[in-house]
Amino acid sequence: METECIMLLPSVCAVLANPELPIPDDTCLEKLLDWFKVMTCKAPVESLMQQNTCLTELIATVIKQKDPEPCMLSFIFRLTGLLAASVDGFSFLEHLRLLGEVFGNRELMQKRTWEDATVRCGWIHGLLNAVQNLKAFQFILKNELIEVILPLQQDCSLFVSSAASQLLIQLLTLPAQQSMNAPVLRGDGHSSDMKDLLQSTSNENHEWTDVVKHIGMHVEETLLSGEPFHIEQSLKLMTLACKRCEPWILQILWEKVVGHIESLLETHPTTLTQPLVELLLSVSRTPIYQEADSTISTLLMHFLQTISPAQAGSLASGILNLKNCPQSLGMSAISVILHPLEFILYSASQQPQDPGLLETRFYEDMTIEEQLCRKTSCIALLGNSLSHIHELLEIITQPYYATHFRPEAILSSVLLVLQMCIGAAIPTTPAGSQICRHLIGSVKVQKFAVDALGSILHLKGIVVSDSVHHLLLEYLRNPDTDSLVLKKVMQATLKYVLCFSDLTAMWPIFDKDLFPVLKKRLCDIRWEVRDSTLELLTHLTLHLQDNEEFPPLLLNSGILQIAMSLLKDHEGYVRASTVSFLGQAIYIMNNKDDKLNSNTIQFTQEGIVSQLVDILSQDSESFPRRAALRVFTGWLQQCSRLPIENFEESLSVVFKVGCSDFDWEVRVHSLELAEVWIDQTLANTLVPSCPYAVTPSTDLKRKSLSELMLKLKTLQIFDILFVGLHDCDRPVAQKACAVLMSLQKIIFEKGDFPTNEVSTNGHEKAGSILKDCFLTQNSAAQTGLINLTGKTVDNIAEILAALDLKTIQNNLGHSSDYIQNSPRSLLQDILAVAETTVDNVIDCY
Amino acid sequence: KNEIKGAGQDVGRSCILVSIGGKNVMLDCGMHMGFNDDRRFPDFSYITQNGRLTEFLDCVIVSHFHLDHCGALPYMSEMVGYDGPIYMTHPTKAICPILLEDFRKITVDKKGETNFFTSQMIKDCMKKVTAVNLHQTVQVDDELEIKAYYAGHVLGAAMFQIKVGAESVVYTGDYNMTPDRHLGAAWIDKCRPDIVISESTYATTIRDSKRCRERDFLKKVHETVERGGKVLIPVFALGRAQELCILLETFWERMNLKAPIYFSTGLTEKANHYYKLFITWTNQKIRKTFVQRNMFEFKHIKPFDRSYTDNPGPMVVFATPGMLHAGQSLQIFKKWAGNDKNMVILPGYCVQGTVGYKILNGQRKLEMEGRNTLEVKMQVEYMSFSAHADAKGIMQLIRMAEPRNVLLVHGEAKKMEFLKQKIEQEFSVNCYMPANGETTTITTNPNIPVDISLSLLKRESVPGALPDPKKPRIMHGTLIMKDNSLRLVSSEQALKELGLVEHHLRFTCRVHIQDPHSEQDTLNKIYSHLKTVLKDSSIQHLPDGTLMVESILIKVSTASEDPSTKILLVSWTYQVQDLRRILLKCIIQSHLAEIS
């Protein structure tokens, strides 16, 4: 602990113990506990308490108070728990008789304060913190605290009941963690020496087994209570036990409750379906579930049959993800997910003998028909089926299932659903017509179906028919398509295009269908649609840039002309996406040997630069400005056809404008651009030294470096780096520091630039030059830059050499948050609150 | 059922789960600014363990753009994976991403966090949002509908009514019942919801008059400027800042002051843009004068450039962020803090650890980066200008909406308790104030509308009598639940519509009577007696020795163990239930009379 903190802690404890003084807000107390937790991990807790007696005094004072503040009492519970987590801490507190007073105080539980959920929550969390050693375990038993914990597991506060469940599980697992003689589970999931344990004369084992039985009985009773909320809490407790308990403990608990679970599966209200699903799936993932033991499989199968098809999706999906899932159960689960889609397929099938999705069906057709013919259940059922397609595809491509299921058939059914949603399907049965009526315009089903389509298109080796792009185009053209559905359709379109290794057949579709509809969508009234379209175009451009056919198609499509107009869109997001798209599109067109658009100046890199500079200097939103800088960086990084020198004039403006932006991310991007420029320029100027050269290589390097320095000075890159180093936003300063450090390395270490010329006096001189530069900043207020004019390259090199960048980097590493989050700051804040006399009303905003 | 995930009895992150008529709606999805770890977002694992929020939730509604109401939205939609509908008003949808972006930048800047939502995620989240208009009924699905009402508080803030069938909930979000300089007062119609979930930030705060606070603010600014000092007002980009700008602009104009007022670069333009775009959401005065002069095009307030910080002479600067925890406001503060002529006015809440929090609580020596100590000599003032309804306003809203129950959130427990009692006394409704994590369940008795077929209505109604709501009558018919509607029709029509065949159900009972005569004599006696008593009914002997009264059959047999005991077997259908009762009464009475 820092000395200053040690000095502050007694005053803080005194403040917290004084009921007359204002209590700091909850976050202070929470953060204080966080700090104590760190402290208890770092040092022996007993000595911590001995050295800081104020801690135990605080606990003793607050616990004796007549009517303590609930939040303070809760804090004391949790603090005591933290301190009691280690054996030495526990013994120390026990010796002071504090533990009994804090956790075993039954009077307190009768008081009104106990009605406050914060207090109960604190009490539980305190015990949870403490129960890390067997002494704490014994303490709970000795004080019969289980009797208090069990009702709290059914508390009306979710936070209390959830914490109580965790505490009970901790009690069930602790002795095993503490290396007691836990029985070993046999391969069949039963404990080999369970009987031994139950008959053991060891006190600890007896007590532990009693706890297990006690908790088991509690779960049993609540499952029988008929109260859905209580049942739900117990199901959650059992689910937690499945995840954390030793198999033999779980076995005892499971045997106690399995009968009640069976009855619940029959009679449960719908609110309990989900907790039951989670419990059954959790128990199926434990060692007590064995393939040979069919009880749990039977339960799973039975539950699949009991719950409504619309609710069965997550259970079916969970079953499919089980290890050692019996194939019959797996087939049933797949059938549950696919049956609604199979029904859809048949409802529009022209020939009833067409192969469907399923060989055997889990439900009666009538059951599914009944559900699909009611609008609410139809949407819920199909939504459920479609949302699980992604997981299902992973399963049915496995060898066993692959022979039974064809992804192409699933694709057909998904396409059919999508057709039904826009009224493009022709149902052949009355049920089909009714389903169509329900689905037309259902955004929910459309979203799930397009996502499913995307997952199918992602499958390797999937055979896609023309109907896919027809449907995608249909959705893209449909004026009623919801904007989010359109976004998903566009993502699916990209996946569809990427399905083809040979795109020859696709180019006419691009030309005649896709580009015309995307052009329309670029003019959509909804910004979301315009933006998604631009995102799709950017992705297409990125993925297809190496195809010779793509750039001319794009150029002739008229899309670029519309995109140019979108640079003035009223929505910032759209302008930013336009910048990204145009940057990429124009780059691929210009980077060909046979420059495509030599006649269309506006679509050349040179042509668009001025527009990008305008955006950078004038756009009111930061996204387009950031995008503009990323375009420049991308061009430089992608080894543009154009020599770097062609950009230099524009870049000097870009650096200047970008670095004086009020958005720090724009400033960081500007520095990144500068970094890339330096790298590229260095790569061009620093030619490898030739062994046969007449001029020595050091001289050559020095000459090249001098040229580089001059360029950096001309482009005012030094200016922005030095200013950036003192930026009020940390990432900017960090970036500037990193770039300057690499420059230092290049110039003074690799480049043999005469660092030794910078003497101690030189350091001082350089420091004062930099200081002068900053002092003149006021006169350069308009530019927002420091003034390096009149300084020679050597002056600048001196400044660079004089900068102690390592120290600066270290300082920057400690963020402002470091100060704010320091324990000292926290302690000072708590003291300050106590001293403040003005009541500042807390009103958030 | 309401489950409070956050901002129950605190002013932290608002997140309430309402289950109504089988639908699950999340109200607000806020974050806690006071934490930097998982605790800042609501814990969605309390809703569902498997992370499939889309399956569980029917929709999410966001009341306004403050981060304690919308800050966790990108986390929920893009990181947890909620893909369902999200609703908010148009201004909220436009302004929300700006604040989220500001917050993201500060988080990334300060902590260098990488496991945080990105700009792309904010954009993708906003694409999932459906913007709604005031008073527009939005059909989320066939059963669930929502409607937005004006809430004041900040631009675009709305209260929402959520309705499923006859059950409804009103969620107020944050609201203000008194108009201010740029926004109007909250309003809702008499929608009589089952419950109003109301914020209670100022549950019992007796706020000094707004005029006084404004006067005090202007006086302090003016005095500082007059003595040549500089005034720093740390604010969040949009919201209360605009209210203060209007206040200062008007004052400067009136007093003809010359000291410059600046606002963080870029934000003035942005704010202007949104206030122009959503002028209909401002108050009446601004709307009316908008044509002649846009109140948000300030004459005296100019964009700030960071080089102005060192300019000599007085000035007033509005700079972001509002808690002095990073960026421009902190940088200016560092420069001006050492001069006792200067002043900083904090107009809102600051979380622990921030410089704002420290100076508000009187700390005057602050440790800054690099362990330098900054001595604060400038004056520090706190003036709350946040627009929440006070106790009077909350009562006024309850009076407006006439709910059957009230639930208070977003306030301090002690203050809420006082208001709770007041509400229960004045309105005779139940008032709840659950803590975070608690669930409140309210039983509703919804009126379920049922259509009745005209033929049945005609058949069942008394000719000539008009229906009287005070004298309800029982109608007999068959209730058909089909295609989400309920209809009462005659049983014949029900059979026809459903394609069912009628089954007749007969009830039987045995009546023991003492009669030593033969079975035939007993039957004859009953026949004669009934003929005299039930004159209007058709009574006849059937060939099989049975007596038939209308459709009721009576058969007599002798008890095997006692020949003087006769057993009457009576069989009837439910339609003649009343006749059967009368008939049996007659038989028993006549028999008793004879015996006596």
Side-chain angles (χ1 to χ4, degrees), chain A residues 2 4 24-28 30-31 34 69 112 115-117 120 156-159 162 229 236 243 274 278 314 317 375-376 384 387-388 391 434 444 447-448 451 483-484 487-488 527-528 531-532 535 570 573 577 620-623 626 659-665 667 723 726-731 777-778 781-782 784 811 814-821 824-826 828-829 832-833 836 840-845, chain B residues 3-5 11 23 32-37 39 46 48-50 52 54-55 58 66-68 83-85 93 97 101 104-105 108-112 119-120 122-124 126-129 142-143 153 201-202 205 207 236 265-266 269-270 273-274 305-307 310 324-325 327-328 331 348-349 352-355 357-358 360-361 363 367-371 382 384 386-388 412 414 417 435-439 484:
Chain A
E2 281 179 54
E4 283 174 77
D25 68 38
D26 289 356
T27 55
C28 285
E30 287 267 337
K31 288 176 187 174
D34 291 347
E69 279 293 325
R112 197 159 175 236
E115 285 171 24
D116 195 308
R120 301 194 300 278
C156 62
S157 162
L158 287 176
F159 297 168
S162 162
F229 179 77
K236 282 183 178 170
K243 288 174 187 164
Q274 200 49 40
E278 275 163 23
S314 52
S317 159
K375 189 170 181 180
T376 314
N384 215 299
S387 69
H388 288 100
E391 298 146 43
Q434 206 164 0
K444 192 173 180 178
K447 282 198 284 190
F448 282 127
D451 278 343
S483 61
L484 193 55
K487 182 190 164 191
K488 288 173 186 279
W527 72 261
E528 294 92 337
D531 190 74
S532 300
E535 283 181 340
H570 65 80
Y573 280 135
S577 297
S620 62
E621 301 271 351
S622 53
F623 304 115
R626 285 183 220 162
C659 282
S660 56
D661 200 285
F662 72 89
D663 179 277
W664 66 257
E665 280 185 84
R667 301 203 293 279
V723 171
H726 296 83
D727 199 282
C728 65
D729 289 299
R730 194 170 64 108
Q777 194 182 345
N778 284 343
Q782 294 308 309
N811 287 341
H814 293 298
S815 67
S816 52
D817 222 32
Y818 163 76
I819 303 295
Q820 288 171 13
N821 285 342
R824 191 151 44 95
S825 155
L826 176 66
Q828 283 166 345
D829 283 357
V833 170
T836 188
N840 294 323
V841 183
I842 292 171
D843 51 23
C844 210
Y845 288 103
Chain B
E3 277 177 21
I4 311 296
K5 305 291 172 201
V11 185
K23 302 282 170 184
H32 199 307
M33 303 274 281
F35 291 111
N36 291 327
D37 51 21
R39 285 172 286 189
Y46 285 106
T48 168
Q49 291 283 328
N50 60 14
R52 298 181 73 101
T54 317
E55 267 176 39
D58 290 280
H66 279 151
L67 291 178
D68 59 336
D83 202 21
K93 185 178 177 181
E101 182 63 22
R104 184 196 67 78
K105 275 163 54 182
V108 174
D109 165 25
K110 286 179 61 177
K111 285 205 71 181
S119 294
Q120 181 68 33
I122 297 172
K123 180 167 83 172
D124 289 340
M126 286 302 135
K127 285 186 180 178
K128 291 179 180 173
V129 173
D142 275 5
E143 291 150 359
H153 186 61
T201 318
Y202 289 158
T205 308
R207 310 205 72 204
F236 285 96
T265 324
E269 294 93 320
K270 214 180 281 182
H273 170 69
Y274 288 114
D305 187 288
R306 52 196 163 133
S307 59
D310 298 320
L324 285 178
H325 54 300
Q328 215 165 53
Q331 201 184 34
Y349 169 70
Q352 186 275 320
T354 58
V355 171
Y357 183 93
K358 287 174 189 294
L360 269 183
N361 287 302
Q363 295 187 55
E367 186 191 303
M368 308 308 281
E369 288 90 338
R371 297 239 157 172
Y382 175 79
S384 167
S386 65
H388 292 273
E412 291 170 65
K414 277 184 185 167
E417 181 62 47
N436 283 353
E438 280 187 349
T439 303
N484 283 334

Side-chain angles (χ1 to χ4, degrees), chain A residues 264-461:
Chain A
L264 267 177
L265 297 185
E266 299 287 342
T267 57
H268 71 278
T270 47
T271 48
L272 291 180
T273 304
Q274 200 49 40
L276 277 167
V277 166
E278 275 163 23
L279 172 58
L280 286 183
L281 290 174
S282 299
V283 78
S284 310
R285 291 187 196 109
T286 66
I288 65 166
Y289 169 74
Q290 298 289 327
E291 211 175 332
D293 177 10
S294 60
T295 327
I296 297 172
S297 296
T298 314
L299 280 183
L300 287 167
M301 182 67 100
H302 180 62
F303 201 34
L304 261 188
Q305 287 161 341
T306 317
I307 51 179
S308 81
Q311 287 183 305
S314 52
L315 178 59
S317 159
I319 288 172
L320 288 173
N321 285 312
L322 289 181
K323 275 185 193 169
N324 308 322
C325 170
Q327 283 167 353
S328 60
L329 186 60
M331 290 296 270
S332 301
I334 293 175
S335 172
V336 164
I337 295 173
L338 290 182
H339 201 154
L341 294 175
E342 156 114 333
F343 191 88
I344 295 273
L345 212 50
Y346 273 106
S347 69
S349 169
Q350 302 297 325
Q351 291 155 326
Q353 69 275 16
D354 281 351
L357 292 174
L358 301 168
E359 290 166 3
T360 51
R361 294 176 181 84
F362 184 74
Y363 298 115
E364 294 284 327
D365 269 349
M366 221 171 73
T367 313
I368 295 297
E369 182 176 353
E370 216 173 78
Q371 296 267 323
L372 289 176
C373 286
R374 287 205 307 267
K375 189 170 181 180
T376 314
S377 57
C378 171
I379 288 166
L381 185 61
L382 278 175
N384 215 299
S385 278
L386 291 162
S387 69
H388 288 100
I389 291 292
H390 179 75
E391 298 146 43
L392 187 82
L393 290 171
E394 286 172 18
I395 305 292
I396 62 166
T397 43
Q398 287 171 9
Y400 171 76
Y401 296 107
T403 53
H404 297 276
F405 301 99
R406 291 179 312 115
E408 284 77 13
I410 301 177
L411 175 62
S412 306
S413 64
V414 172
L415 290 177
L416 195 54
V417 171
L418 282 167
Q419 282 170 344
M420 285 181 162
C421 288
I422 50 169
I426 306 160
T428 52
T429 62
S433 311
Q434 206 164 0
I435 296 167
C436 276
R437 277 201 296 277
H438 298 330
L439 290 186
I440 286 177
S442 169
V443 173
K444 192 173 180 178
V445 174
Q446 286 176 23
K447 282 198 284 190
F448 282 127
V450 181
D451 278 343
L453 177 63
S455 302
I456 299 168
L457 292 174
H458 211 62
L459 274 186
K460 271 186 187 163

Side-chain angles (χ1 to χ4, degrees), chain B residues 449-484:
Chain B
V450 175
D451 293 334
I452 184 163
S453 79
L454 198 58
S455 58
L456 181 71
L457 191 66
K458 279 181 183 164
R459 196 170 80 188
E460 291 278 320
S461 59
V462 182
L466 288 171
D468 183 357
K470 286 178 187 163
K471 292 179 188 167
R473 286 189 61 240
I474 295 170
M475 305 283 283
H476 296 266
T478 305
L479 193 67
I480 299 183
M481 293 170 68
K482 204 178 165 190
D483 300 329
N484 283 334

Side-chain angles (χ1 to χ4, degrees), chain B residues 50-69:
Chain B
N50 60 14
R52 298 181 73 101
L53 282 177
T54 317
E55 267 176 39
F56 182 80
L57 288 176
D58 290 280
C59 73
V60 175
I61 295 171
V62 171
S63 63
H64 63 285
F65 62 65
H66 279 151
L67 291 178
D68 59 336
H69 293 259

Side-chain angles (χ1 to χ4, degrees), chain B residues 87-145:
Chain B
Y87 295 96
M88 53 179 80
T89 62
H90 286 278
T92 308
K93 185 178 177 181
I95 298 167
C96 210
I98 297 172
L99 295 196
L100 287 168
E101 182 63 22
D102 271 2
F103 170 64
R104 184 196 67 78
K105 275 163 54 182
I106 284 166
T107 310
V108 174
D109 165 25
K110 286 179 61 177
K111 285 205 71 181
E113 279 187 44
T114 46
N115 186 24
F116 201 71
F117 50 74
T118 60
S119 294
Q120 181 68 33
M121 285 176 180
I122 297 172
K123 180 167 83 172
D124 289 340
C125 170
M126 286 302 135
K127 285 186 180 178
K128 291 179 180 173
V129 173
T130 307
V132 299
N133 293 314
L134 285 180
H135 307 156
Q136 169 200 1
T137 302
V138 178
Q139 209 69 41
V140 179
D141 59 33
D142 275 5
E143 291 150 359
L144 173 63
E145 63 182 45

Side-chain angles (χ1 to χ4, degrees), chain A residues 406-635:
Chain A
R406 291 179 312 115
E408 284 77 13
I410 301 177
L411 175 62
S412 306
S413 64
V414 172
L415 290 177
L416 195 54
V417 171
L418 282 167
Q419 282 170 344
M420 285 181 162
C421 288
I422 50 169
I426 306 160
T428 52
T429 62
S433 311
Q434 206 164 0
I435 296 167
C436 276
R437 277 201 296 277
H438 298 330
L439 290 186
I440 286 177
S442 169
V443 173
K444 192 173 180 178
V445 174
Q446 286 176 23
K447 282 198 284 190
F448 282 127
V450 181
D451 278 343
L453 177 63
S455 302
I456 299 168
L457 292 174
H458 211 62
L459 274 186
K460 271 186 187 163
I462 182 87
V463 182
V464 287
S465 60
D466 285 352
S467 52
V468 177
H469 79 247
H470 287 310
L471 184 86
L472 290 171
L473 286 168
E474 195 80 21
Y475 266 79
L476 289 173
R477 285 187 191 118
N478 191 338
D480 296 330
T481 310
D482 174 83
S483 61
L484 193 55
V485 175
L486 260 177
K487 182 190 164 191
K488 288 173 186 279
V489 167
M490 287 178 187
Q491 286 167 342
T493 306
L494 181 69
K495 283 181 185 163
Y496 175 74
V497 171
L498 299 180
C499 280
F500 296 91
S501 50
D502 177 13
L503 286 163
T504 318
M506 283 301 293
W507 300 131
I509 298 171
F510 267 75
D511 192 29
K512 299 267 183 284
D513 301 313
L514 187 61
F515 281 157
V517 75
L518 291 184
K519 264 165 68 180
K520 276 193 182 170
R521 287 301 182 191
L522 283 176
C523 305
D524 199 288
I525 193 164
R526 296 161 292 182
W527 72 261
E528 294 92 337
V529 176
R530 297 196 298 278
D531 190 74
S532 300
T533 313
L534 287 160
E535 283 181 340
L536 170 65
L537 284 165
T538 311
H539 285 299
L540 284 173
T541 312
L542 273 169
H543 284 102
L544 305 178
Q545 59 180 325
D546 295 331
N547 289 275
E548 285 190 0
E549 294 85 345
F550 182 75
L553 271 181
L554 182 61
L555 183 67
N556 298 324
S557 67
I559 282 178
L560 294 178
Q561 280 84 346
I562 299 177
M564 288 302 260
S565 67
L566 289 179
L567 287 173
K568 291 193 167 50
D569 196 279
H570 65 80
E571 179 59 48
Y573 280 135
V574 176
R575 293 198 300 276
S577 297
T578 311
V579 168
S580 302
F581 165 62
L582 281 174
Q584 188 59 31
I586 288 172
Y587 168 77
I588 66 162
M589 271 173 237
N590 284 244
N591 220 29
K592 297 278 163 199
D593 292 334
D594 49 337
K595 203 171 160 188
L596 279 169
N597 54 342
S598 48
N599 297 330
T600 332
I601 186 70
Q602 62 169 337
F603 300 138
T604 60
Q605 280 171 290
E606 297 91 329
I608 201 175
V609 161
S610 61
Q611 306 232 31
L612 293 180
V613 172
D614 282 351
I615 286 171
L616 193 60
S617 50
Q618 286 166 21
D619 204 298
S620 62
E621 301 271 351
S622 53
F623 304 115
R625 301 199 303 269
R626 285 183 220 162
L629 277 163
R630 278 199 299 264
V631 166
F632 284 119
T633 312
W635 284 355

